[in-house]
Amino acid sequence: MEGIPPDDVLVARLRSGEESAFALVLDSWSGGMLRLARSFVSTEESAAEVVQETWLAVIEGIDRFEGRSSLKTWIYRILTNQAKRRGVREHKVVPLSSIQTGSSADDSGPTVDPARFRPPGDPYPGHWWEFPASWPTPEQGLLGGEARVLLSQALVELPERQRAVIVLRDVEGYSSDEVCDLLEISPGNQRVLLHRARAFLRGKLEEYYEEAKP
Amino acid sequence: MTDLDCQQFVEQVTAFLEGGLDPAEEQRFVDHLALCDGCDRYLDQVRQTVHALRELPAEALSPENRQALLNTFRAKH
């Protein structure tokens, strides 16, 4: 696939109506947008509609893009706004901005079952009873098709704020600064959400490999 | 400062990977890592999880939606 040109070139091409430029961003960014939209709304269909509305808004509004953020960030902002509005209608989300201070039950407590560790009073308190079992090595095919499906499903089970953060950070590869900016959350909050999401998904893979053991 | 135990270690994994521990905390974390095979494995599994997420296949627009957007774009210009 053709690389994405720098924003100034890209925006000029889009404004002049160059269809190949539009197809390029459409094909490059829609996958990530679908995943992100799914953090806010209840169904895949709804997420697809949000992405569709977002692109329509981009087509309508590209002349108003001022370049204060990157084009992709600008589009992701439109997406999160559309998705949040729809999520509220579907009664799914707590607005992201309300999580800055308070924390919900999903955001506190240990991320690994305390029963895995020796209790206070034990000669080695807080240490593993049993080490986590080893996983198949990459040569043995760490992430077979089944594990991939499992991971995609586990993403949907995450509380939406954790999901939004881990999708942007680990699936889409955004930096923590960009994610804080996009979701309007503090760096500390971002790290807590990321930590909990990663621990949850590691646990899901652990269960999967445990059951898959010969 | 007392030594880190495994239960504390697992809660610092993300801060460590993000470079968010202060030097003393990081030292304790690494010291524990050097001595504990269980935590070494735990940290590695978190890394593998992150890596696996990067490898997830991209979702895509349905061909109908994609075509509809291209048509709208064309019609506007």
Side-chain angles (χ1 to χ4, degrees):
Chain A
M1 187 163 48
E2 187 194 336
I4 304 228
D7 267 8
D8 49 343
V9 177
L10 186 60
V11 171
R13 286 193 193 161
L14 291 171
R15 283 182 178 156
S16 68
E18 209 179 291
E19 196 175 323
S20 64
F22 184 66
L24 179 66
V25 289
L26 196 58
D27 293 337
S28 304
W29 296 345
S30 293
M33 289 163 69
L34 283 164
R35 277 191 212 284
L36 183 58
R38 190 67 180 76
S39 312
F40 299 93
V41 299
S42 319
T43 63
E44 302 295 337
E45 292 71 30
S46 203
E49 284 171 32
V50 167
V51 170
Q52 211 68 2
E53 286 166 14
T54 301
W55 282 119
L56 292 175
V58 170
I59 294 170
E60 278 308 309
I62 187 69
D63 290 336
R64 291 193 298 276
F65 171 67
E66 293 174 348
R68 274 191 251 155
S69 62
S70 74
L71 180 67
K72 191 174 178 188
T73 300
W74 182 71
I75 294 177
Y76 268 47
R77 285 239 174 103
I78 298 174
L79 177 88
T80 48
N81 285 332
Q82 305 253 27
K84 278 187 219 174
R85 217 172 305 143
R86 183 182 284 252
V88 169
R89 269 208 313 277
E90 293 172 355
H91 307 292
K92 180 165 189 284
V93 298
V94 183
L96 275 157
S97 53
S98 75
I99 61 178
Q100 192 76 340
T101 46
S103 66
S104 79
D106 296 325
D107 300 338
S108 55
T111 56
V112 178
D113 183 357
R116 305 270 308 256
F117 303 99
R118 293 167 178 269
D122 185 277
Y124 301 99
H127 287 256
W128 298 103
W129 280 111
E130 232 180 286
F131 290 169
S134 64
W135 289 358
T137 61
E139 297 80 57
Q140 295 169 281
L142 167 70
L143 203 62
E146 271 182 66
R148 221 173 265 138
V149 170
L150 171 122
L151 211 48
S152 293
Q153 286 169 347
L155 276 174
V156 180
E157 290 174 38
L158 282 170
E160 54 267 23
R161 294 152 312 128
Q162 290 182 28
R163 181 165 202 260
V165 170
I166 201 164
V167 162
L168 286 167
R169 285 295 311 276
D170 291 344
V171 184
E172 301 299 322
Y174 276 88
S175 72
S176 56
D177 286 349
E178 289 170 315
V179 173
C180 290
D181 201 33
L182 268 170
L183 300 179
E184 295 169 343
I185 55 178
S186 70
N189 203 217
Q190 192 255 179
R191 186 176 296 161
V192 168
L193 294 168
L194 181 65
H195 179 68
R196 304 195 71 76
R198 283 179 177 173
F200 176 80
L201 295 178
R202 192 211 69 91
K204 284 287 175 181
L205 283 175
E206 178 174 60
E207 279 171 30
Y208 170 74
Y209 290 127
E210 194 58 39
E211 282 165 20
K213 232 174 223 168
Chain B
M1 213 185 277
T2 55
D3 288 346
L4 208 60
D5 67 35
C6 307
Q7 203 166 2
Q8 295 163 332
F9 179 98
V10 298
E11 300 303 344
Q12 293 188 8
V13 162
T14 305
F16 171 74
L17 292 173
E18 300 273 286
L21 296 178
D22 70 38
E25 287 170 337
E26 187 172 278
Q27 191 61 57
R28 285 206 310 166
F29 186 92
V30 172
D31 286 351
H32 182 92
L33 185 64
L35 290 174
C36 179
D37 290 345
C39 286
D40 189 34
R41 186 174 285 166
Y42 185 89
L43 177 64
D44 186 52
Q45 291 178 348
V46 172
R47 283 207 184 93
Q48 290 190 56
T49 303
V50 173
H51 185 73
L53 286 166
R54 294 218 169 105
E55 308 278 292
L56 279 183
E59 295 185 29
L61 294 180
S62 70
E64 300 77 34
N65 284 356
R66 182 178 182 277
Q67 196 54 50
L69 288 169
L70 287 171
N71 292 344
T72 307
F73 183 82
R74 199 177 307 130
K76 175 138 191 289
H77 291 277

